[in-house]
Amino acid sequence: MSVTETPTEPPTRPVAVDFWFDPVCPWAWMTSRWLLEVAERRHLDIRWRLMSLAVLNEGREDLPERYRRLLTEGWAPVRLVAAAQRKYGDEVTGRLYTALGTRIHVQALGPTREALAGALRDTGLPPELLDETGVDTWDADVRASHQEGIDHVGEEVGTPVIALPGPDGTRRAFFGPVVTPAPRGEAATRLWDGLLLLAATPGFHELKRTRTQGPVFD
């Protein structure tokens, strides 16, 4: 190195973040948009994982009819994502989730066949993938990914689940954060820093209050 050269700092390793989502869950959608906002400002490696509210609530008879219907309809999006992952690799998952969530939640189309077909067009994936939503070929993949998230965080949770570095290099997983609307800019990074602080606190398990506002899609 000459005296005129300035040494460059080695690149920092990205922070590995595992994020479990069900495409039909509006709260997971809100959290995922916040996480992508953080990724624009911090060096994150987001690994998108599937959960299923239908699997989570199997056998429950106390659910309202509307919610049970949504869970039944929710099999199609998770099967679609699972099929795309297996056929085209994990790198398509985040893009497909964004396309699905935009149509299901932001455009308020719900998990309809038209919404799923539009998401495939938006991501450049073959329309034939839509045929995978009506069969159980990928259900084992969905259940395995779902169980991995539950194994990290425990039973008394829903979606989303987030896993991030904790003390001593361990992984800490939490349900949430549940937030609306999705924080932007500096507010997004402040929430991220707070979550890292909680993850680094030995013995921390839960912080919660009753929701008083529905999801705000922007």
Side-chain angles (χ1 to χ4, degrees), residues 4 14 38 50 80 87 91 98 205 214:
T4 59
V38 175
L50 275 173
L80 185 66
K87 291 174 178 286
E91 62 272 13
T98 290
H205 290 91

Side-chain angles (χ1 to χ4, degrees), residues 181-215:
R184 304 292 184 182
E186 185 61 27
T189 55
R190 284 199 302 269
L191 178 57
W192 171 253
D193 291 339
L195 189 61
L196 288 178
L197 179 62
L198 294 176
T201 304
F204 175 79
H205 290 91
E206 186 175 6
L207 182 68
K208 186 175 181 179
R209 66 172 182 163
T210 300
R211 293 195 300 264
T212 58
Q213 184 179 11

Side-chain angles (χ1 to χ4, degrees), residues 6 8 10 23 37 39 43 66 74 76 103 107 111 135 138 149 165 169 181 183 187 189 204 213:
T6 302
T8 58
E37 184 80 5
H43 199 190
R66 179 179 176 278
R103 289 178 176 271
Q107 298 178 11
V135 295
W138 311 105
T189 55
F204 175 79
Q213 184 179 11

Side-chain angles (χ1 to χ4, degrees), residues 58-75:
E58 275 182 329
R60 290 189 57 183
E61 301 295 337
D62 59 330
L63 299 174
E65 175 61 28
R66 179 179 176 278
Y67 192 63
R68 286 203 302 271
R69 185 171 63 251
L70 178 63
L71 297 183
T72 301
E73 296 170 348
W75 269 111

Side-chain angles (χ1 to χ4, degrees):
M1 180 184 293
S2 69
V3 293
T4 59
E5 290 179 313
T6 302
T8 58
E9 297 203 5
T12 58
R13 295 181 61 184
V15 177
V17 182
D18 294 286
F19 186 81
W20 281 267
F21 68 94
D22 184 323
V24 302
C25 177
W27 299 106
W29 172 253
M30 302 300 299
T31 306
S32 72
R33 299 310 95 180
W34 158 73
L35 195 58
L36 286 172
E37 184 80 5
V38 175
E40 292 183 3
R41 293 161 172 77
R42 301 290 172 85
H43 199 190
L44 303 187
D45 174 21
I46 305 173
R47 300 181 295 202
W48 303 98
R49 315 289 197 193
L50 275 173
M51 285 189 78
S52 169
L53 291 173
V55 173
L56 185 71
N57 290 282
E58 275 182 329
R60 290 189 57 183
E61 301 295 337
D62 59 330
L63 299 174
E65 175 61 28
R66 179 179 176 278
Y67 192 63
R68 286 203 302 271
R69 185 171 63 251
L70 178 63
L71 297 183
T72 301
E73 296 170 348
W75 269 111
V78 293
R79 286 170 171 168
L80 185 66
V81 175
Q85 281 181 316
R86 181 63 71 91
K87 291 174 178 286
Y88 300 100
D90 290 340
E91 62 272 13
V92 306
T93 310
R95 291 190 294 112
L96 181 55
Y97 179 32
T98 290
L100 285 168
T102 298
R103 289 178 176 271
I104 291 172
H105 302 299
V106 180
Q107 298 178 11
L109 299 178
T112 61
R113 190 172 180 86
E114 292 73 21
L116 273 57
L120 290 176
R121 291 196 300 271
D122 294 341
T123 51
L125 289 168
E128 293 79 14
L129 275 176
L130 198 60
D131 296 336
E132 307 289 350
T133 63
V135 295
D136 62 1
T137 307
W138 311 105
D139 290 10
D141 287 4
V142 172
R143 291 179 181 277
S145 180
H146 175 93
Q147 189 59 49
E148 183 184 7
I150 293 298
D151 289 345
H152 273 80
V153 77
E155 296 290 340
E156 298 175 359
V157 299
T159 177
V161 168
I162 187 170
L164 61 161
D168 305 322
T170 60
R171 302 285 288 170
R172 297 293 299 279
F174 300 102
F175 163 60
V178 174
V179 60
T180 188
R184 304 292 184 182
E186 185 61 27
T189 55
R190 284 199 302 269
L191 178 57
W192 171 253
D193 291 339
L195 189 61
L196 288 178
L197 179 62
L198 294 176
T201 304
F204 175 79
H205 290 91
E206 186 175 6
L207 182 68
K208 186 175 181 179
R209 66 172 182 163
T210 300
R211 293 195 300 264
T212 58
Q213 184 179 11
V216 177
F217 306 120
D218 55 14

